[in-house]
Amino acid sequence: MIKGKIKTEISKSMLFGIVLFVSMVLSINAENIRQSDSTLTDPVYKIQLTDSSIVVDENLSSTFNSSTISISDSSDVITLAAPPSGSGPDTVIVYSAKRRMAFNVKSKIMYMNGDSKLKFSQQNLEADNIKILFDESLIQATATKDADGKGIGYPEFTDKGETFYGETILYNFRTKQGTIKMGETKMSEGFYYGDKIKMLSKSELFIKDGCYTTCEAPHPHYYFGSPKMKVVAKDKVFIDPIIFYVEDMPIFILPVGLFFPNKTGRQSGIMIPSFNFSSNRGISFEDFGFYWAASDYYDTQIRGNYYSKGGYVFKNNHRWKLRDVHSGSLDIEYGETRFSPDDEFNTTYKINLKHNHTFSPQTRINAAVNYMGGNHLRNTSHSYRDILKQNISSNAGLSHSFDDWGSISLSMNADQNISTKELTMSFPNLSYSLPTWKPLKSVKSLPKWVQNVSLRYSGRGEHNYTKKLDPLTDDSTFKHTHTGKIVHSPSISISPKFGYFTFQPSVSFGMNNYFRSVEKSFNPVDSTIDDDITHGFFTEYKFSTGLNVSTNLYGIIRPKLFGVNAVRHTFNPQIGWSYTPDQSDNKNFYRSYIDKKLGDTVLYSRFALDGGGIASRIESQTINYSVRNTFDAKIAQGDTLDDENMKFFKWDFSGNYNFMADSLKFSDLRMSFAIPDMSFLQLTSSARFTMYDQDPVTNDYNDDVSYTKVNRFLFDEGKGFLRLTNLTLRIGTSFSSDGGNSGSNFDNRTDDHDESADSIETGLGSRFSERIEYAEQQVDLYGDRTYGYSVFNVPWRMGVDLNFSYGRERINRIDRALTLRADFSFKVAGTWAFSGNIDYDFIREQMASPNITIHKDLHCWELSLNWTPIGVYKGFYLRFNIKAPQLQDLKYEKRRNPFYR
C-alpha cells in the first residue's frame, strides 16, 4: 500500500533543483538503502529516477505537504523541497494505491493504479486508475478492463454522503464541477442514472438521457425516462418530457415538462384519489385532497370522498408531536351519504381526538375521545370489523405522582352505543392512593411477619351519567340519570408463617359517602312507588373478616424415560374462613315498605339512586376451600445442555360452604384444567357442578314451566353426586413446515432489503457494475444451465381452534355451541403467499364469512387479492401497485363488496 498527503505543488522554477537533489541522494545512498541490514529481506518497493519523474512501486509511503515532498520506508527518508505556492489544490489530499504510483514532476501529473483512493475536503474518490492533473485542477478516474472485457474498480465518488458511480469520472477540485459517463446515483430512495451526468454544483445535476426508478434490479423492471433531466438534491427533479417504461416498453408519455419533489421526510402536496365505480353509488373519488407539512411538529390532511350517486364525505386530520413532551391527533369527518339513489341522504360525522402530554416525570395527560353518528362506519368504512362495530369508548386522564405520598388522578370514561345512541359516562372521577406503609418495619426485634404488616389506602370520587332508552315508552325517548359517590378502600395485609403453613388473616373495611338518600313508600291510589329524595352528606360502610391457611406438598419421581428426567407434582391446598355480618337492620342504611298490592315487605337501600347497598343484607359465615395441582417436568436437552423445565398439566377446583344460609349451603363446585406449556397443543377447560336437585315451577302469567334449585342433594335422590351445569373447552394446535407451534402467521411479503448505510452503498456499486455489463441471456429451454435437482421448499403454517360450550343451568334447557376456526398460510416459490381463515358453527350448521388473501411479490411491484367468497360481506379487493411509498398512487384497483354494488 502506498499512502501519503499532498499540499501545494512544485513550481517550474524548482524542477531542476528537485531533480538534481534527488539524483545526488540516490547516487550516494542507493547501496546503503539496500544493504543497511543483512538480516533484513530485500524491500518490496523500487525507486526509479528519470529525467522528469519519480516512480514509486509496491509498498512505499509518500507524503506531500506545504514544505516537503518525502518518499520513505521505515529506515530511510528522501526529502524534496517544494515551495508553498502554485496552482494545485488548496487542501490536503490523502491518497493510496496498491500496485503503482508515479508523479511526473515536469508535467505535474500523478498516476495511481490498483485500488486507488483519494480523500480531499469532504469528497472521496475510489477507482482502479486515478490521474491527477495539477495544472488543470482535474482528477480523472477510470476502471481497468480484464481479459474478458469486464471492468475492475469502477470509479466511485462520494460528496457529503451522496455517492456516484460511473465508467469515467472527471472532477475539477477548484470549481467543484464534474462529469460522469454512464453515471448512477441514489437519492431519496430512488436511483438516477443516464448516459452522462454533469455536476454543476454540489446540489445540482444535469442528466442526459436520464432515468429514475425505485427498482433495485440492475436491469430495472420499470423506470421513468427523459432525454433531459435536472436533479436538485433534496429539493426537486425536473423532467421534460416524462416517459414511463415497463420492461423497456414505453407505456405512456407526457409531452410537457414536470417537476417532482426530491426531499426526504414529510412534504406538502396534492393527494391522489382512488377511483371506483358501483351501480349504487356511481363514480367515486376517494381521499382526494391536500397534505400540508406545516412544520417539524405539526401537519394536516384535508381530504374528501365524492360519490356521483351517493353524496360526499369531508375529512380533516391533524397531527402534532414534540419529542418527549406531547403527541396527538384530531380526526374530523362529516358528510351526507346514501347507498342507492332510492335512499334518503343520511348525515354522518365522526370526531376522534388523541393526545398524550408529559409535563414532568410525575405529571402527564392521556386522552382518547371518540364520538360519531350511528351510521357513520356503515356508510363510509370498507372494513368488516368497523361495519359490525356497535360500541365506541373514550377515556381521558390527568395523573400526578408524589415522591413519597402516593398519586392522584382525574379521569373520564365513556361508552357509546352507536346504533341506539345510548351513552354511559363517568366524569369527573377523582382518585387518590397512598403507597404501601409498613409501620413496624423499623422494629427489628419483632418477628419478620409482624414487621411486614402493611397498610394501604385508596379513594375516589365519581360522577356518573347515563342516557338510556326509556323501557316504559314506545318511542325513542331517553332517560337521563346522574349519580355520584365517594368510595374509601383501606386495607391491611398480614401473612404470618408457622412451620409449613402460611396464615393470612384479613380484615376488610369499605366506606362510601353519598349526597342524597331516598325514602320509598307505596301509593295506594295508583299502586306505584313514590320516592322522597333528601339531599345532604351520608355514609355507608361494610366490613368483614377472615383467615386463610395454605401449604405446599411436593412429590417427585425420576423416570428417565422418553426424554423425561423428572416429574414433580405440587399439591397446594387452601382453606379459609370468612365472616360478614348482617347490616340490614341498620336504619341508616336500609329501610322497608309494604307493597299492599303483593302483600310483601320490600327492603331497599337508602342510597340505591347512587349505587348504594354495599352493606351486607344477610349474615354470612363461609368456609372456602380450593386445591391446585401442578405437574412440572424436566425434559432432557442433550449432554451439553441443561434440562428444560415444562409445566405440562394444571388442575384446580374450588368451592365454599355457608354456615348461615337457611338452605343450599354448598356452593357450586368450580373446576379448571389446562395444559400451558405444550408447544404443539393448547388445551384449556372449565366446568361448574351443582350438588342440588331442581323442581318444576309454573309461571302464573303464561303457564310456562321452569325449574328452580331446591334444598335436596342429588345423591339423596339417586341422581349421582354432582350434575354438570356449565362446561367450556378449547383445543388449539398449530403446525408449520418448521415443526410444532409456529406462533403467529409469517408475513405474506418477502423479506425487506436491508436499508442500512453499508448495504445501500454496496448495493449501489454492485447494481452499477451489473447494469453496465448487463447481457441478455437466452431462455434456458433445455435446462443446460440449471443446477440440477433442488428441494422444492414451501414454508407453511396451519392453525386450528375448536371451541365447545355446554350450559344446563335448568334441567329442562340445554345450550350448546361448537365452533371451529381454521387459518392457514403458505408460500410458493418465495414470491407467492397465500393465507386465509374460516369459521364454522356445527350447531347452526353455518359458515361465517371466510377470507382468503393472495399476495404476489413482483420485486418492485406487488399484486394482492383479498377475497370473501360467501356471506353477507362477500366480495373482493384487487390491487396492483409499485411498492415504493413515494409512488404508491401509481396503482390499479378493482373491488366489489357491499360498499360498492
Side-chain angles (χ1 to χ4, degrees), residues 568-584:
R568 183 181 69 177
H569 173 208
T570 304
F571 180 71
N572 174 223
Q574 296 186 33
I575 186 168
W577 169 82
S578 63
Y579 173 75
T580 303
D582 180 9
Q583 297 175 271
S584 61

Side-chain angles (χ1 to χ4, degrees), residues 369-389:
V369 180
N370 303 297
Y371 188 75
M372 69 177 63
N375 294 322
H376 179 79
L377 294 176
R378 188 174 67 88
N379 290 345
T380 62
S381 178
H382 300 164
S383 169
Y384 299 147
R385 291 184 178 180
D386 287 346
I387 294 173
L388 296 175
K389 184 181 291 186

